[in-house]
Amino acid sequence: MTDGESAVSTSGDAVDPIPDLRQRSFFQRWWEGFSIIFASKTAMVGLFLVLFWIFVAIFAPFLTPYTPLEQDWKSPNIGPSAEHPLGTDELGRDLWSRLIYGARVVLVVLPISEDLWIPGGTAIWGVIVALVVGTALGLISGYYGGWIDEITMRLLDAMMAVPIILLYLIIMAALGASAINVVIAMTIVGTPGIARLVRSLTLDIRTREYIRAAETRGENPWHIMFIEILPNARGPIIVDAMLRVGYAIFAMGTLGFLGLGIPPPSPDWGSMVAKGREFILAGSPWAALWPSVAIATLVVGLNLLADGLREESMRYQ
Amino acid sequence: MKGSKDIHPRIVELFDQLQDGRLSRREFIRYAALLGLSAAAASQMIGLPWPKSLSAADIRRGGVIRVATSVQKVTHPAQFSWVEPTNILRQVAEYLTYTDKNNITHPYLLENWKASDDLKTWILNLRKGIKFNNGDEFTADDVFFTIKQWLNKDVGSSILGMMGAYLDPNGIEKSDAHQITLHLKKPEIAVPEHLFHYPAMILNHRTFEGDFIKAPHGTGPYTLDVYKESERAVLKRRSDYWQKGADGKPLPYMDGMEFFDMGDEMSPRIAALRAGEIDMIDLATTGGTAAFQALKDYRGVQVKPIGTAQARVMRMRVDLKPWDDNRVRMALKLCQHREKILGLAYFGQGLLAHDFHVAPVHPEYCDKQIPEYNPQKAKQLLKEAGYPNGLRVNLALGSEWTDVVRYGEILKQDAAPAGFNVVLKTMPTSQYWEKWTEVDLGVTPWTHRPLGTMVLNLAYVNDADGNPVAWNETNWADPEFSRLLNEANGTLDVDERRKIFCQLEQIQWERGSIGIAWWQNNWQIVTRRVQDSQPHPTGYMLFNQTWLSEG
């Protein structure tokens, strides 16, 4: 433990003297890590965009008088007005309400079935599950090396050789359209990249003295992998995960656009764009415009946040 | 009239009905044409002027029309399963009959046809003096050869499913050089309509060896110059075509036709039409709602609507729970807010429908009052059927048919008050076609057919062994319905047929297996310079008379 934490301090915040670390609580340390965001303007802009979408997603029911499914067959495809700030879609549903409820599915809730949902958005869960699987595979490969490494990495390389969008299409066409299947598809597609990253970090870290020390102490390999190596690799993994949430949102949009994402009438951004697209040339661009803007701002926000974090954390290295 | 030997005796009866006012003029022409009287002669009988062609001075010869379509791989015309390739090749090879936009069928490569009183023997008299574009003369041998191809199991033509039910290969007789006699196994009135089914192109028996592109010898007004899959097809005018134009010279007026494959996306085609880079978008199978929306008010573009019997059919498998209970089926049918569905799913471009598969454009259509949206009654029916707490059902939808998806979304919303929880299962359209007869609840697109009996025979009866026919996707068959339908199949008197159809429609509404909320309009979309082009309910391009104005 001792060696691990000192390593964190050198990579994270070199200014602090090492002894101080021990007296501070977990939250204090977490906050210190987090506060580097404030040092970067890029990260702040990103954070603002992301927090905006998280806020509207969480408080969606209080931000609109409509439900995302309520149809008004007398007023389809109208532009922004006092009643409907962003206009309505082809079935007369309020676009603002669909947009913010759509943000919920991305960031805040994962609909398992019609009536059951769990917290954590579809994109978030997709990244978390991929992260867990990819990290485990990467640690095992990197730490053990040898034929385990060869087999795992060649299999993952084979998966990476398949174009991502094709892999998504194959998986979704095989499994059928649902939020859970989107998570499964993201996991399968995201795992190889994460595993490669974690493996390369592991290869580096396992040569350090504190790993040798732990081995000499006789710690079992799992302890070394998850307690000694993983926490020291977290910086790049977090930045990578941040970017991956962005990719995941893109992937959700693409799948929805191709009719393979979360089935209608769920306010899925990708399928909103796909449906609205039919009306662009007919003179009602709103239904396609807003969800495109939403996807763009959220993904740009996440990328800025990740970039800012990386810049700041690299500064003292 | 009664003395004329060439006229089918039923025509005389029809004429009497017309004079009694029991038959409209359109119906008279239709049914007289069915029995072999040319539409022009029928028009003369009722004193209706046959629409005259334009005077020769107005018509400009020359020019090449450019059409956006999909240029698919084709080999044997009898195997066609999409309309687009037929729209290219129907300008090269032709059909024995043709069904016009009013669903009236006329002789075409036939001079006329004669049906026996029992409707079991059909004599087809071929037009004389027609030549294929390679110089061969068109004779009964070609027709004999082509019909044999349709009925050959190894060819695998969809015509076999239609004509195979009443015609065996040994029932085709070549009576003389320009006459074919068909001996049917059972009475059938739709023979002329079937002869215009899109794979029924007449082939040259001397040169055809299974691949039409290699030997593109037809009787049509154009010859095939280039056919490159997924790229383009180029047709050139031939100078010795058998039909004459208004100026007395052979048709066609245009020098050629060019077809461009512009992929599956509609927006580049719309943009190309707006820019004047193409003259027409072939909407035969792609569905025209997007193009209609984008171009309906666009200057320089003509959008010509036509009513059809084309529908999105919500079909329920009656051999699977819960749809084996008619009360559940009726409950879901009552949950259709038809006006809203037509307005939102199809932009109001069509007619409201009544859950039976007979459309107002069919001559035997019997008018019925459109049912109201009634969730209370639907809830009551569900309760009686044993689902007092509601029912969860999966609705299979092809996601590329955007109007079908809208239909599903509206149904989900409107069926909720009745207790239905409709879960929409969207899938790529190709995947839907893999299991369209298997899903318990789904929405299947059905294309237009000119006679009311045609779809009913295809989809709502059992075969001789008591199994559902191949396209009976709901496994529904009703003894009374089948008996009445058989009766209708052999009844020519329109009044009598309509009486039977009133009962058929009532049965299908009361205990049938389908919901149909609306009948779709189709559109022909061409630029202003395209003249004398008619929209067709099945999207066929019948362009012999079409010409291009300046600019």
Side-chain angles (χ1 to χ4, degrees), chain B residues 140-327:
Chain B
D141 287 320
D142 301 305
V143 178
F144 187 77
F145 170 81
T146 308
I147 300 181
K148 279 258 155 106
Q149 290 283 307
W150 302 341
L151 300 178
N152 183 345
K153 279 203 175 64
D154 298 332
V155 171
S157 171
S158 63
I159 307 175
L160 182 62
M162 246 162 45
M163 296 186 91
Y166 59 82
L167 182 63
D168 280 336
N170 54 22
I172 318 165
E173 184 200 337
K174 191 186 133 191
S175 333
D176 73 42
H178 288 94
Q179 192 182 65
I180 290 281
T181 309
L182 303 178
H183 303 280
L184 312 190
K185 291 187 282 186
K186 57 179 198 180
E188 175 64 52
I189 55 165
V191 174
E193 274 78 8
H194 290 168
L195 294 176
F196 191 56
H197 189 38
Y198 61 83
M201 285 175 183
I202 296 300
L203 308 164
N204 184 337
H205 79 284
R206 296 172 199 83
T207 61
F208 182 78
E209 282 171 343
D211 188 346
F212 187 77
I213 302 301
K214 286 193 182 133
H217 301 145
T219 56
Y222 294 91
T223 56
L224 186 64
D225 199 33
V226 178
Y227 194 97
K228 277 197 168 168
E229 275 166 56
S230 317
E231 275 182 41
R232 69 199 175 107
V234 178
L235 309 181
K236 293 260 188 296
R237 173 182 195 276
R238 70 184 264 206
S239 54
D240 57 345
Y241 183 56
W242 60 275
Q243 286 185 45
K244 297 271 188 288
D247 52 5
K249 289 183 240 160
L251 287 175
Y253 298 121
M254 295 182 292
D255 286 340
M257 301 176 82
E258 287 181 19
F259 295 84
F260 299 99
D261 195 314
M262 297 186 64
D264 297 334
E265 284 289 309
M266 189 50 77
S267 25
R269 302 189 223 185
I270 292 169
L273 194 82
R274 282 182 172 179
E277 286 161 7
I278 54 168
D279 299 301
M280 177 178 177
I281 303 174
D282 187 331
L283 300 170
T285 46
T286 42
T289 49
F292 165 78
Q293 287 270 325
L295 296 166
K296 60 178 192 257
D297 302 319
Y298 198 78
R299 227 161 46 89
V301 173
Q302 314 174 58
V303 176
K304 305 175 182 177
I306 180 147
T308 73
Q310 187 177 309
R312 307 306 201 186
V313 180
M314 179 184 74
R315 22 75 78 234
M316 302 167 263
R317 273 277 294 267
V318 298
D319 55 334
L320 297 175
K321 269 193 171 309
W323 311 110
D324 54 344
D325 190 330
N326 186 39
R327 289 169 295 196

Side-chain angles (χ1 to χ4, degrees), chain A residues 36-64:
Chain A
I36 63 170
I37 291 172
F38 302 114
S40 158
K41 281 206 181 82
T42 320
M44 280 303 290
V45 174
L47 184 70
F48 171 77
L49 287 172
V50 174
L51 282 181
F52 169 77
W53 283 112
I54 293 177
F55 175 81
V56 296
I58 293 173
F59 297 101
F62 307 102
L63 297 173
T64 169

Side-chain angles (χ1 to χ4, degrees), chain A residues 69-71 73 76 90-93 98 114-115 173 177 258-260 263-265 275 277-279 281-282, chain B residues 265 267 270 274 289-290 293-294 337 339-340 344 347 392 402 405-406 409-410 412-413 421 424 426 428 431:
Chain A
L69 306 180
E70 208 170 299
Q71 299 168 0
W73 72 286
E90 79 280 5
L91 297 180
R93 295 174 294 204
R98 281 182 78 68
E114 285 262 308
D115 347 275
L258 295 172
L260 292 167
K275 286 182 191 160
R277 195 174 59 123
E278 193 181 334
F279 304 96
L281 285 171
Chain B
E265 284 289 309
S267 25
I270 292 169
R274 282 182 172 179
T289 49
Q293 287 270 325
H337 190 322
E339 215 183 338
K340 173 178 171 186
L344 289 181
F347 318 115
R392 181 193 161 103
T402 51
V405 176
R406 288 193 287 271
E409 289 184 67
I410 297 163
K412 179 184 175 68
Q413 166 106 354
N421 177 8
L424 306 181
T426 49
Q431 212 174 332

Side-chain angles (χ1 to χ4, degrees), chain A residues 160-177:
Chain A
M160 285 177 94
V162 182
I164 286 178
I165 188 70
L166 195 65
L167 203 53
Y168 271 124
L169 289 183
I170 294 168
I171 297 166
M172 290 311 291
L175 297 177

